[in-house]
Amino acid sequence: MGTHETAGGRPTRPTRRTFLTASAAATAATVAAPLAATPAAATDAVTPPGPGHPVRPQPPDRELAALLREIDRDRIEATVRRLAAFGTRHTLSDQNDPVRGIGAARDWIHAQLTGYAAASGGRMTVELQSYVQQPASRIPTATTITNVVATLRGDTAPDRVYVITGHYDSRATDVMDAVSDAPGADDDSSGVAVVMELARVLATRRSEATIVLAAVAGEEQGLYGSAYLAGRLKAAGVDVQGMFSNDIVGSSTADDGTRDPRSVRLFAEGVPTAETPAEASVRQSVGGENDSPSRQLARFVSDVACNGATGMRVRVIYRRDRYLRGSDHISFLREGWPAGRFTEPNEDFAHQHQDVRVVDGVQYGDLPEFCDFDYITRVARVNGATLWSLAQAPGTPKGVTVVTTNLTNDTTLRWQRGTEPDLAGYEVVWRETTAPEWQKVLPVGDVTEVTIDLSKDNVFFGVRAVDRTGHRSPVAFPKPGS
Ligand SMILES: [Zn+2]
């Protein structure tokens, strides 16, 4: 199960009644159905009494709708098939062979992105970002690792950066096997195809903030390329306000044949990977284990990317990644930046990290024939709606505090005013402590302090910025302060 589709193919939100009915059915059958903790279910819940009006999703404006329509299924399919045709893209494979191996793939991706950037009027630059990784876990000899990075420089907030990645390295059954075929169509040509297609459609546009679109290497050996990319951004002093790894976004079919073509999982951690002991102490005093910057980013994705223009439902999972597993967003979480990982709704383990072979009539291996190119296209639209909505909105408010100078039964919030030229003002959002999503919103105008007649002891508050055309930032969760 898992699809919520009408005959017309548009995703629908389950009604309260169907949700309960389906939950009861799931319980009776004792199956792990993808129903719980969805934004759809939360939105249907009764909003609590108190100040403000119910929170509503942010619909795509005309400019974004046009961008999403340009995302081209056939180009995505061609990219996945081309990358699979390099035989293997293992990080330790040949870097000089023009036909087979990771070097040939690297040069092809670079040439494609450079071609897209030519339409950008100089706003998009493409670089081969290389370093030599000395021997380490899963790297037996010094190895050059190269990311292919396209950067669309922002017009008005160039130092504020949003990043998406896919990893172009691949693997076979043995993670150290650099010569066997490893087509890596789903893992992770699909993610690279998302990155490359968005680079193509974004190259012709002007963005307010900077967008980085990267095909990284060394993921299967231990997140090496993304760690280097994150480290370079850190050293450059840029302010990364959101990052997404697209890793295994190629198929909508589970190993039991179940199809769920209109949902994508977004893994987002609660307690931050880079939390310091002092920050942990504050969290223990005020709550906030469901209010990390990554959780606010995930709520933003649900807000802007679950609609008719993407045709998708985003199923946020309250976990850093799949059970005991990882991807390139962890490199960004380690630097203290909000990040998440998009991945398909159900994985088929016969089609990933497997030598290409037939056993008892069953085809193993990560082959393009197991990809759903319409599905990858919709995942690209989720990424496009997210990136564009982030980059055109004001940045996440900074310096947000709950004023705790005196004990009171109301709540005073303060923050720093942003510097965006089109900044219009701020909204305070709040929710019951047990609610997964923000429930009520109060527009408070172009101010930097407000007092709300509601106790900070009983609900959670957040603050977001709004521009003159209604683009909203992700929510900032306040710290206690003055
Ligand atoms: Zn992967």
Side-chain angles (χ1 to χ4, degrees):
M1 78 128 295
T3 61
H4 296 297
E5 280 191 275
T6 61
R10 304 240 322 207
T12 57
R13 294 195 154 167
T15 65
R16 186 78 188 146
R17 181 188 165 127
T18 58
F19 173 69
L20 290 173
T21 306
S23 289
T27 306
T30 5
V31 292
L35 281 168
T38 65
T43 308
D44 290 345
V46 176
T47 50
H53 52 81
V55 166
R56 296 275 173 241
Q58 176 176 308
D61 60 17
R62 276 192 16 219
E63 188 180 28
L64 174 56
L67 182 158
L68 298 179
R69 279 194 300 272
E70 279 179 40
I71 294 172
D72 183 343
R73 178 213 178 277
D74 292 348
R75 286 177 184 270
I76 285 171
E77 176 172 357
T79 296
V80 170
R81 291 189 184 281
R82 183 68 196 87
L83 287 169
F86 289 108
T88 177
R89 305 184 307 278
H90 194 280
T91 296
L92 306 173
S93 65
D94 197 312
Q95 300 201 10
N96 299 307
D97 187 315
V99 175
R100 182 181 175 90
I102 193 168
R106 169 201 66 207
D107 292 345
W108 180 79
I109 296 166
H110 182 255
Q112 295 296 115
L113 290 177
T114 302
Y116 302 154
S120 73
R123 290 187 305 277
M124 181 179 281
T125 52
V126 179
E127 96 176 280
L128 288 172
Q129 182 187 72
S130 295
Y131 80 104
V132 177
Q133 176 61 51
Q134 295 304 317
S137 172
R138 295 181 171 185
I139 304 280
T141 58
T143 301
T144 299
I145 292 187
T146 304
N147 302 322
V148 193
V149 184
T151 303
L152 182 69
R153 186 178 162 82
D155 277 352
T156 57
D159 295 332
R160 174 159 54 94
V161 175
Y162 302 98
V163 182
I164 64 166
T165 64
H167 70 84
Y168 73 98
D169 63 308
S170 66
R171 61 169 286 184
T173 301
D174 174 0
V175 72
M176 302 306 287
D177 176 356
V179 296
S180 295
D181 278 354
D186 193 349
D187 186 10
D188 182 33
S189 297
S190 62
V192 175
V194 165
V195 165
M196 290 176 65
E197 182 59 3
L198 284 174
R200 188 183 71 82
V201 301
L202 288 169
T204 59
R205 291 174 159 85
R206 307 190 83 90
S207 174
E208 293 181 19
T210 293
I211 298 173
V212 172
L213 307 123
V216 298
E219 195 273 348
E220 303 289 6
Q221 309 312 110
L223 313 182
Y224 288 101
S226 59
Y228 187 70
L229 172 63
R232 286 280 299 267
L233 292 166
K234 195 76 168 187
V238 303
D239 180 14
V240 176
Q241 293 199 2
M243 182 275 177
F244 301 92
S245 170
N246 285 270
D247 193 357
I248 312 182
V249 293
S251 170
S252 55
T253 305
D255 49 12
D256 65 357
T258 307
R259 293 196 71 233
D260 191 1
R262 301 231 170 224
S263 96
V264 63
R265 287 183 290 172
L266 173 56
F267 284 86
E269 70 180 13
V271 175
T273 290
E275 184 182 67
T276 64
E279 288 165 343
S281 176
V282 170
R283 178 171 53 75
Q284 287 155 5
S285 301
V286 305
E289 53 278 359
N290 191 11
D291 281 280
S292 65
S294 297
R295 285 279 159 82
Q296 310 305 347
L297 189 64
R299 292 184 179 112
F300 182 91
V301 176
S302 297
D303 205 35
V304 302
C306 300
N307 51 52
T310 65
M312 289 290 263
R313 186 172 74 101
V314 175
R315 183 181 180 206
V316 176
I317 310 266
Y318 284 181
R319 185 170 271 147
R320 186 171 72 173
D321 204 318
R322 298 108 77 230
Y323 211 83
L324 292 178
R325 297 164 74 197
S327 183
D328 293 306
H329 61 303
I330 294 175
S331 295
F332 284 73
L333 294 172
R334 285 178 177 144
E335 298 289 358
W337 291 323
R341 184 239 173 106
F342 286 116
T343 200
E344 63 195 33
N346 302 289
E347 292 169 79
D348 186 334
F349 298 107
H351 300 157
Q352 56 176 269
H353 301 188
Q354 292 281 354
D355 290 340
V356 179
R357 66 197 191 280
V358 176
V359 179
D360 297 333
V362 176
Q363 177 72 61
Y364 287 80
D366 191 353
L367 297 165
E369 67 202 65
F370 300 124
C371 287
D372 175 344
F373 300 106
D374 292 312
Y375 179 78
I376 303 172
T377 306
R378 285 192 292 275
V379 174
R381 291 193 174 116
V382 168
N383 277 264
T386 300
L387 275 180
W388 191 251
S389 301
L390 286 167
Q392 304 325 302
T396 306
K398 291 185 187 288
V400 184
T401 58
V402 168
V403 178
T404 52
T405 320
N406 299 307
L407 285 173
T408 64
N409 271 320
D410 54 23
T411 303
T412 297
L413 295 156
R414 283 189 189 137
W415 56 90
Q416 295 162 12
R417 193 180 185 282
T419 56
E420 292 81 2
D422 61 346
L423 181 67
Y426 292 87
E427 292 176 344
V428 170
V429 293
W430 64 271
R431 68 179 200 276
E432 294 286 2
T433 59
T434 50
E437 304 294 317
W438 297 110
Q439 293 175 310
K440 292 292 218 35
V441 56
L442 295 90
V444 296
D446 192 0
V447 298
T448 57
E449 178 180 326
V450 68
T451 298
I452 311 284
D453 185 18
L454 201 58
S455 172
K456 55 194 158 291
D457 296 334
N458 299 338
V459 301
F460 287 131
F461 286 98
V463 178
R464 66 189 182 193
V466 189
D467 74 10
R468 286 199 289 265
T469 47
H471 297 121
R472 306 189 297 234
S473 76
V475 169
F477 187 68
K479 295 177 168 56
S482 54

